[in-house]
Every structure is written in C-alpha cells, then in structure tokens.
C-alpha cells in the first residue's frame, strides 16, 4: 500500500492530516513529520485535531500550526488519518465523507480508509513516515527528524518495549545524524510536566491494588481527582507504567473516568501476556503489550470485569510458558489489598 500512498501524494496537491482524540507522541510526531514531508514536496497541507496539543509536545516543530477544529470543514484531495483504530477515533465530523488514507501500525485497526497502509511490524507510525520519506525521495530535515524521533521514543517507552527492534535503532541513529538532540527531546517530553501531574499521580497511586498472586495490578483515576489536582486531560498519560516497574507484575490496568459511567482502560503487560486480546473483548485494540478500550457501567463492575480478564490472560500465558513458581505468601505475609 506504500506505493498507493506515494502515487496519491505525487498526483494530488491539497491535504489534511489528523489523528486520534487526546493526541500522544506517536500520533502528533508522525502527523507533524508527514506535514513537513508534504511541505518539502510543495504541497498544501495542514494538521487538524479535535483536541489541543498536550504541553509535552508543544515544542515539536510545527506544533503551533496545528489547527483545532471539531469538523473537517475545508476541501482536501485527501485526509491522512494517523494511528486510529476506526473512523470515529479522530472525533471529527464529516471525516467519513472524505478520501481517507488510513496509516497505522496496530494489527487490530479497521480498514476504514479508501487507502489503508498498515504495518504491524513498525514500532510506531513514525517508522512508517520515515520509510515514506526514503521511498518518495524527501531529505530527512531536522524538523522531520525531531517529529519522527519523538514518535519513536514515546511509543517504544524510551526503547523499553518489546516493539523496539534493530530497525528502530537504525532509524533513531539516522535521525540523530539529521540533527536530533536526544537529551533535548527527553527534556521536553519527559521532564517538563506541570505540578498538577504529580498531584494527580499521588492520588492515583493511592488506589493501586494487586491480585493475590502479585502478577496483576490496577488503579483508577476519578473525575474528582482530576478536578482537585487542577489537572489537564493529558496529565494522566504514562501512569499505567508505574505498577509495571515492579518485578513480579505482568499486567496492569489503569482505569480513567472520562465521564460519569464512562471509563478508558489503558492496559500494559510484559513478555507474552497479550493485553490486545483483552482490549478486543471490549471493543478496543492495540499491541500485545500495550492496548486500550472504553467501558461503561459502575466503578466496581468495570474494575472487577477488566481485572478478571487480565488475570485470565496472565494465567493463559503461564500455561503456555514454563516459568519459575512465584513466591507463595503465608497469612502473615499476605499481599496487601491496597498499596499506597
């Protein structure tokens, strides 16, 4: 499908680029990388999003040019939709009436575009944009490099996740040669948070629990927590990874209340525990070790349902893979129900 994308770019002139609501490092980095690529070819292009650019990505080249809009309200030859599971994810009215180019690296993505370029071997859509640069003959400028590097470093968890490959490091090396300063990117993305994020994290961690085996952990973020911390929507990004830093924890759920009775579940795992399958059961999707879904109901019901699904996923992986037995605790050393 890459050839179809190239042909479209070469024969058309006016484009828009968008991605999912609450944009993250890969969605914004890839969108802006493609923006600079198309500009280098002399195309008319703009990045449109329903939600504002989060503070962590506000210093990306071109971030100030992102237009916030609730609808696709201008005429384009095509709209590139980056890293979205379906046509609804960008939250833009009228998108379904456009010529859509669907670009993603999630194997669970619906083929909703007129053109669908899906590469589940890519660590991030940023890899795909880099490959497009090479294939179409555009020099990787500093602007393109910074955007793509941000996509890679965020979607691989700073090159920690299992989606990191030899190809990922080769591309990252080329991006550094093109002018990326890794320390500067890390400072902007990971070390420039507002105090509200730390306040919110303190409250969220106070809800942290794990099952008796110690392999599954979960925590929640309520609307009240967000309000009391004066937090932004993106301040909860990355919280799901904290419990996964514990050695014996193999799967984590972070349940974030988006509206009364509506919860976004961010799921993470280690090794072969497949949380994408768990997310798919509830209408979501993602990668084996990083996925998400939206659930509706009461707190206790939602928590019980998603935690049980994670326990089953961990047990399923344990049956398929020989492992050393976990330490068994007696009554006096029982795992606490809540971990502050």
């Amino acid at each position: 499908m890459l050839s179809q994308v190239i042909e479209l770019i070469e024969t058309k002139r006016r484009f828009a680029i968008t991605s999912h609501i609450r944009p993250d490092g890969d969605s914004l980095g890839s969108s802006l990388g493609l923006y600079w690529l198309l500009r280098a070819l002399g195309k008319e292009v703009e990045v449109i999003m329903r939600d504002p650019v989060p503070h962590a990505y506000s210093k990306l080249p071109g971030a100030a040019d992102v237009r916030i809009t609730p609808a696709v309200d201008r005429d384009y030859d095509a709209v590139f939709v980056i890293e979205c599971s379906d046509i609804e994810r960008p939250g833009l009215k009228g998108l379904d009436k456009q010529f859509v180019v669907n670009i993603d690296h999630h194997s669970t993505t619906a083929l909703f575009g007129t053109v669908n370029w899906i590469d589940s071997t890519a660590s991030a859509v940023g890899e795909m944009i880099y490959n497009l640069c090479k294939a179409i003959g555009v020099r990787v400028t500093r602007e393109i490099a910074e955007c793509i590097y941000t996509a890679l470093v965020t979607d691989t968890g700073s090159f920690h996740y299992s989606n990191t490959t030899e190809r990922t490091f080769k591309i990252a090396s080329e991006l550094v040669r093109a002018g990326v300063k890794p320390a500067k990117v890390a400072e902007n993305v990971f070390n420039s948070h507002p105090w509200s994020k730390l306040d919110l994290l303190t409250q969220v961690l106070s809800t942290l629990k794990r099952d008796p085996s110690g392999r599954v952990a979960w925590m929640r973020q309520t609307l009240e927590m967000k309000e009391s911390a004066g937090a932004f929507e993106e301040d909860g990004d990355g919280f799901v990874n904290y419990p996964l830093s514990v050695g014996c924890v193999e799967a984590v759920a972070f349940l974030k209340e988006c509206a009364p009775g509506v919860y976004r579940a961010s799921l993470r795992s280690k090794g072969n525990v497949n949380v994408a399958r768990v997310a798919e059961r509830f209408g979501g999707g993602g990668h084996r070790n990083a996925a998400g879904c939206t659930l509706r109901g009461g707190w206790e019901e939602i928590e019980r349902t998603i935690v049980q699904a994670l326990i089953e996923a961990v047990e399923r992986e344990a049956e398929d893979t020989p492992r050393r037995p976990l330490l068994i605790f007696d009554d006096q050393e029982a795992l606490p129900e809540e971990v502050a």
Side-chain angles (χ1 to χ4, degrees):
M1 294 302 170
L2 175 57
S3 61
Q4 293 185 34
V5 175
I6 293 173
E7 181 181 3
L8 176 71
I9 291 173
E10 290 178 339
T11 58
K12 302 298 181 180
R13 177 160 188 82
R14 186 170 172 78
F15 302 102
I17 305 165
T18 192
S19 188
H20 53 74
I21 56 175
R22 298 184 298 276
D24 57 18
D26 190 21
S27 63
L28 274 169
S30 298
S31 295
L32 289 169
L34 180 57
Y35 167 78
W36 289 109
L37 182 160
L38 292 171
R39 284 191 55 173
L41 292 170
K43 306 296 180 177
E44 296 180 28
V45 56
E46 64 174 352
V47 178
I48 58 175
M49 298 279 180
R50 195 200 71 175
D51 293 336
V53 174
H55 176 76
Y57 310 112
S58 61
K59 294 184 180 179
L60 278 174
D65 298 328
V66 174
R67 184 166 69 90
I68 309 306
T69 175
V72 183
D73 53 2
R74 297 176 182 174
D75 294 327
Y76 305 102
D77 293 322
V79 178
F80 293 92
V81 178
I82 305 296
E83 202 194 28
C84 289
S85 57
D86 55 56
I87 195 70
E88 304 297 328
R89 278 288 282 155
L92 296 177
K93 296 178 181 178
L95 181 59
D96 57 336
K97 297 179 176 61
Q98 301 292 317
F99 186 103
V100 168
V101 181
N102 171 23
I103 303 178
D104 199 4
H105 68 130
H106 295 102
S107 60
T108 55
T109 294
L111 302 181
F112 59 84
T114 310
V115 174
N116 298 282
W117 179 25
I118 311 298
D119 182 2
S120 60
T121 70
S123 66
V125 175
E127 269 197 29
M128 300 170 69
I129 302 304
Y130 176 86
N131 292 336
L132 177 60
C133 276
K134 293 297 185 179
I136 208 168
V138 169
R139 182 178 68 87
V140 179
T141 62
R142 181 189 59 80
E143 290 85 2
I144 293 173
E146 285 190 10
C147 293
I148 293 177
Y149 184 86
T150 299
L152 296 186
V153 78
T154 54
D155 234 40
T156 61
S158 298
F159 308 110
H160 287 174
Y161 299 160
S162 61
N163 59 335
T164 307
T165 66
E166 179 184 4
R167 181 174 63 184
T168 310
F169 284 115
K170 286 182 177 179
I171 293 173
S173 176
E174 291 296 325
L175 299 175
V176 171
R177 287 195 184 97
V180 168
K181 304 295 184 185
K184 178 184 175 183
V185 173
E187 181 74 19
N188 291 339
V189 174
F190 302 117
N191 297 322
S192 60
H193 302 303
W195 183 262
S196 59
K197 184 180 182 77
L198 197 61
D199 189 348
L200 184 61
L201 176 61
T202 301
Q203 297 183 60
V204 168
L205 287 178
S206 71
T207 72
L208 181 59
K209 301 178 184 178
R210 53 181 177 169
D211 77 320
S213 75
R215 292 177 178 172
V216 176
W218 63 96
M219 55 190 182
R220 61 171 65 172
Q221 176 185 308
T222 66
L223 291 172
E224 289 77 14
M225 291 176 185
K226 180 183 172 186
E227 183 178 357
S228 69
F232 298 98
E233 185 64 37
E234 67 266 19
D235 282 345
D237 292 350
F239 287 2
V240 67
N241 296 313
Y242 281 87
L244 210 60
S245 66
V246 177
C248 66
V249 173
E250 298 180 33
V252 175
F254 173 40
L255 300 170
K256 181 163 64 173
E257 187 178 20
C258 304
V262 181
Y263 312 93
R264 178 68 183 171
S266 296
L267 310 177
R268 297 293 184 271
S269 67
K270 295 175 182 172
N272 293 322
V273 177
N274 194 329
V275 291
R277 290 180 183 173
V278 174
E280 287 171 21
R281 287 173 52 182
F282 304 102
H287 296 294
R288 182 186 64 194
N289 298 124
C293 57
T294 300
L295 304 100
R296 290 170 172 79
W299 263 122
E300 303 307 322
E301 174 195 359
I302 293 300
E303 184 176 284
R304 184 168 53 251
T305 300
I306 202 73
V307 169
Q308 183 58 39
L310 287 182
I311 291 173
E312 291 171 1
V314 169
E315 291 176 345
R316 188 180 306 115
E317 192 276 332
E319 292 173 358
D320 296 337
T321 307
R323 64 174 68 243
R324 293 185 303 172
L326 291 175
L327 179 63
I328 304 300
F329 291 83
D330 60 27
D331 289 342
Q332 291 183 333
E333 296 178 318
L335 290 172
E337 184 178 346
E338 297 188 9
V339 181

